[in-house]
C-alpha cells in the first residue's frame, strides 16, 4: 500500500493548563491510496515556528508520497538525510519530521490493524501510573495546594508543577515562598503522592541558587527537580549533582536521540524528558528511550500538547522500559478532550494500555479546520 498525500494543518488553540495562552502546533495528515488516514503532531508551540513547520512538512512531502506505508523507518531516514543542512543536530526540521513520523506510525497501524504499542513490540509494563501536569497560577499558596490536591485525590500518583509561568503564582523566585509552596502542597496531597518541581524559562537560576533550592527541596521530599539550570549547562549540572542528591530532570528540549545520549553521558540527568512531537517522532523517541533504558535512566514523555501527542506518549510509555509514569493534563481543554474520540485519561491513577489500530484514536477534522492558522 502506497502513500497518496501529506497535508500540514498549523492550528492555534487556547490551553487552560497554560493560563489560557494561545498555543500553536502543526498537525499532519497522511492518507494512503486506499483512503486510510494517519495523524501526527509537531510541537512547535509558537505561531511563527508552527507556520514554518507546516512549510517544512509540505516540502518534505515529496519524500513521503508514493512510498510504502509500512516503511516508517526508511522514510524517517530519508527525511533526516534530506534535511542535513537545516536539521542534522537541531532545529525545527526535527519538529516537522516528528509530525510526519507520528502520522506514518498511525497510518501503518490503521492499514494493518495493529496498534502502535503492538508495532513497538508490546508492553514493557504491567501498569502505568499517571501524575498531574500543572502550572502554578494563583497568588495564594493555600488555593494552589487545594487545587493540586483535588486533582491528585482522583487517584493520580502526584503532580508536576511548573514554576515561573503566567499568572500570579510567582514561584521559583523567592526561596521562602517556594519552600512554603512545597510544604503545603505535599501536606494537602497526603502520603504516597509525589511532587515534581519544573522550572520555567523565566526563573533563570544560577548554580548557587539551584544548589540551595535542591538541598531544601530534597529534605522536603521533592521527587525530582526539572530544568533548574535550563537545558544546556553541563558544568552547572555537574556542580549541582555533586552538591545535592535530588533527582535531576531535563532533556525535553533535545532534538534527537543523539542529544539525549549527549546529556545522559554527562552523568547529570536522572529523568530524561523526551517530547515525541519534537524528537523526530515515535521513531526518534523509541531510540532515545532505549538508550535511557540501557543507561539505567528514567525516561519521561513530555506529554504537554494535544491528544495526538497524548496518544503517542501513551503508546511509547507503555512500550519503553525506561518510562515509569505518564503526565496528564487534568485541566482538560478542547485540544485534549474534543480533538479525538477517545482522549487519553486515567482509571484510578493508572493510564490504560492503548488499544485499537495505530494510535487508537479518530481525529475530529472539523475542529482542526476551525482552528487552522492562515
Ligand atoms: Mg518541563
Amino acid at each position: 500500500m502506497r502513500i497518496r498525500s501529506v497535508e500540514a494543518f498549523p492550528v492555534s488553540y487556547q490551553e487552560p493548563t497554560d493560563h489560557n495562552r494561545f498555543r500553536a502546533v502543526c498537525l499532519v495528515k497522511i492518507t494512503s491510496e486506499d483512503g486510510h488516514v494517519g495523524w501526527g503532531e509537531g510541537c512547535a508551540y509558537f505561531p511563527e515556528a508552527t507556520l514554518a513547520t507546516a512549510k517544512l512538512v509540505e516540502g518534505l512531502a515529496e519524500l513521503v508520497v508514493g512510498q510504502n506505508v509500512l516503511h516508517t523507518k526508511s522514510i524517517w531516514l530519508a527525511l533526516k538525510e534530506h534535511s542535513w543542512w537545516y536539521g542534522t543536530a537541531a532545529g525545527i526540521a526535527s519538529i516537522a519530521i516528528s509530525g510526519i513520523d507520528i502520522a506514518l506510525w498511525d497510518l501503518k497501524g490503521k492499514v494493518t490493524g495493529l496498534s502502535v504499542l503492538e508495532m513497538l513490540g508490546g508492553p514493557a509494563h504491567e501498569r502505568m501510573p499517571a501524575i498531574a501536569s500543572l502550572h502554578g497560577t494563583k497568588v495564594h499558596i493555600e488555593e494552589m495546594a487545594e487545587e493540586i490536591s483535588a486533582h491528585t485525590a482522583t487517584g493520580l500518583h502526584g503532580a508536576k508543577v511548573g514554576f515561573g509561568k503566567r499568572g500570579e503564582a510567582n514561584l521559583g523566585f523567592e526561596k521562602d515562598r517556594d519552600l512554603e509552596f512545597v510544604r503545603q502542597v505535599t501536606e494537602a496531597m497526603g502520603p504516597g503522592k509525589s511532587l515534581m518541581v519544573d522550572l520555567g524559562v523565566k526563573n533563570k537560576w544560577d548554580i548557587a541558587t539551584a544548589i540551595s533550592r535542591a538541598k531544601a527541596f530534597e529534605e522536603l521530599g521533592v521527587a525530582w527537580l526539572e530544568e533548574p539550570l535550563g537545558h544546556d549547562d553541563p558544568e552547572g549540572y555537574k556542580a549541582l549533582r555533586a552538591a545535592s542528591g535530588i533527582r535531576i530532570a531535563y532533556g525535553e528540549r533535545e532534538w534527537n536521540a543523539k542529544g539525549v545520549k549527549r546529556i545522559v553521558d554527562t552523568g547529570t540527568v536522572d529523568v530524561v524528558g523526551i517530547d515525541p512531537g519534537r524528537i523526530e517522532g515515535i521513531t526518534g523517541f523509541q531510540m532515545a528511550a532505549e538508550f535511557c533504558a540501557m543507561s539505567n535512566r528514567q525516561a519521561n514523555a513530555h506529554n504537554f500538547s494535544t491528544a495526538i501527542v497524548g496518544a503517542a506518549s501513551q503508546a511509547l510509555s507503555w512500550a519503553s522500559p525506561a518510562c515509569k509514569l505518564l503526565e496528564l493534563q487534568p485541566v482538560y481543554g478542547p485540544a485534549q478532550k474534543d480533538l479525538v474520540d477517545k482522549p487519553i485519561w486515567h482509571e484510578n491513577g493508572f493510564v490504560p494500555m492503548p488499544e485499537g489500530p495505530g494510535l487508537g484514536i479518530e481525529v475530529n477534522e472539523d475542529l482542526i479546520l476551525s482552528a487552522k492558522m492562515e
Side-chain angles (χ1 to χ4, degrees), residues 150-219:
H151 288 304
T152 56
T154 66
L156 293 166
H157 288 75
K160 189 174 100 175
V161 181
F163 280 23
K165 302 295 184 185
R166 285 169 173 73
E168 299 163 310
N170 203 35
L171 293 168
F173 299 100
E174 299 161 19
K175 185 173 182 180
D176 289 348
R177 181 169 170 82
D178 289 355
L179 299 192
E180 191 54 31
F181 174 83
V182 169
R183 271 191 215 103
Q184 288 201 29
V185 171
T186 305
E187 193 181 321
M189 289 196 301
K193 307 284 185 183
S194 302
L195 176 64
M196 295 77 167
V197 171
D198 182 6
L199 274 298
V201 289
K202 289 196 173 74
N203 291 127
K204 302 195 191 327
W205 286 358
D206 59 17
I207 298 171
T209 304
I211 289 173
S212 165
R213 286 292 209 294
K215 284 180 167 173
F217 284 168
E218 189 183 1
E219 272 186 30

Side-chain angles (χ1 to χ4, degrees), residues 296-348:
N296 198 24
R297 301 293 198 282
Q298 183 173 341
N300 183 48
H302 183 240
N303 177 26
F304 202 85
S305 202
T306 83
I308 296 174
V309 150
S313 301
Q314 182 186 13
L316 284 160
S317 298
W318 267 98
S320 307
C323 294
K324 307 296 183 195
L325 53 83
L326 183 58
E327 297 177 31
L328 300 179
Q329 284 161 264
V331 188
Y332 253 30
Q336 288 88 40
K337 70 176 165 54
D338 299 333
L339 180 64
V340 299
D341 60 340
K342 286 183 285 177
I344 178 175
W345 195 235
H346 70 99
E347 292 164 9
N348 299 317

Side-chain angles (χ1 to χ4, degrees), residues 24-353:
V25 293
C26 182
L27 304 183
V28 178
K29 177 184 179 184
I30 303 186
T31 308
S32 62
E33 281 179 342
D34 67 349
H36 283 97
V37 170
W39 284 94
E41 174 178 353
C43 295
Y45 287 167
F46 293 83
E48 69 280 10
T50 298
L51 290 168
T53 302
K55 284 289 174 203
L56 290 178
V57 169
E58 287 162 5
L60 293 167
E62 67 179 60
L63 295 149
V64 182
V65 172
Q67 299 301 315
N68 186 324
V69 295
L70 302 179
H71 292 184
T72 47
K73 185 68 170 287
S74 313
I75 298 169
W76 184 88
L77 288 168
L79 297 173
K80 293 264 291 173
E81 187 175 292
H82 177 89
S83 57
W84 64 277
W85 182 254
Y86 60 89
T88 299
I92 58 172
S94 298
I95 298 177
I97 292 171
S98 297
I100 294 171
D101 183 77
I102 294 171
L104 286 171
W105 277 83
D106 187 28
L107 177 61
K108 182 161 69 168
K110 294 287 193 317
V111 168
T112 60
L114 298 171
S115 71
V116 169
L117 177 60
E118 287 167 326
M119 293 187 288
L120 288 169
H125 306 276
E126 289 185 358
R127 52 191 197 165
M128 180 55 59
I131 64 163
S133 182
L134 299 160
H135 287 177
T137 56
K138 295 196 165 67
V139 67
H140 296 296
I141 291 175
E142 308 82 59
E143 277 184 61
M144 289 194 278
E146 199 177 311
E147 184 182 84
I148 293 164
S149 61
H151 288 304
T152 56
T154 66
L156 293 166
H157 288 75
K160 189 174 100 175
V161 181
F163 280 23
K165 302 295 184 185
R166 285 169 173 73
E168 299 163 310
N170 203 35
L171 293 168
F173 299 100
E174 299 161 19
K175 185 173 182 180
D176 289 348
R177 181 169 170 82
D178 289 355
L179 299 192
E180 191 54 31
F181 174 83
V182 169
R183 271 191 215 103
Q184 288 201 29
V185 171
T186 305
E187 193 181 321
M189 289 196 301
K193 307 284 185 183
S194 302
L195 176 64
M196 295 77 167
V197 171
D198 182 6
L199 274 298
V201 289
K202 289 196 173 74
N203 291 127
K204 302 195 191 327
W205 286 358
D206 59 17
I207 298 171
T209 304
I211 289 173
S212 165
R213 286 292 209 294
K215 284 180 167 173
F217 284 168
E218 189 183 1
E219 272 186 30
L220 294 172
V222 167
W224 79 55
L225 183 57
E226 183 162 319
E227 293 200 328
L229 294 167
H231 78 294
D232 188 25
D233 186 0
E235 294 307 318
Y237 278 115
K238 273 180 198 154
L240 179 60
R241 159 65 82 238
S244 161
I246 201 162
R247 300 183 79 219
I248 301 170
Y250 61 103
E252 70 196 33
R253 282 190 261 175
E254 293 303 329
W255 303 94
N256 50 45
K258 196 170 178 182
V260 163
K261 180 181 184 303
R262 182 176 52 78
I263 63 166
V264 166
D265 285 348
T266 65
T268 63
V269 60
D270 303 289
V271 182
V272 184
I274 310 177
D275 191 329
R278 175 177 169 110
I279 196 150
E280 299 173 340
I282 289 172
T283 304
F285 187 113
Q286 189 188 22
M287 281 182 191
E290 286 300 318
F291 182 74
C292 291
M294 281 189 283
S295 308
N296 198 24
R297 301 293 198 282
Q298 183 173 341
N300 183 48
H302 183 240
N303 177 26
F304 202 85
S305 202
T306 83
I308 296 174
V309 150
S313 301
Q314 182 186 13
L316 284 160
S317 298
W318 267 98
S320 307
C323 294
K324 307 296 183 195
L325 53 83
L326 183 58
E327 297 177 31
L328 300 179
Q329 284 161 264
V331 188
Y332 253 30
Q336 288 88 40
K337 70 176 165 54
D338 299 333
L339 180 64
V340 299
D341 60 340
K342 286 183 285 177
I344 178 175
W345 195 235
H346 70 99
E347 292 164 9
N348 299 317
F350 294 96
V351 180
M353 198 184 299

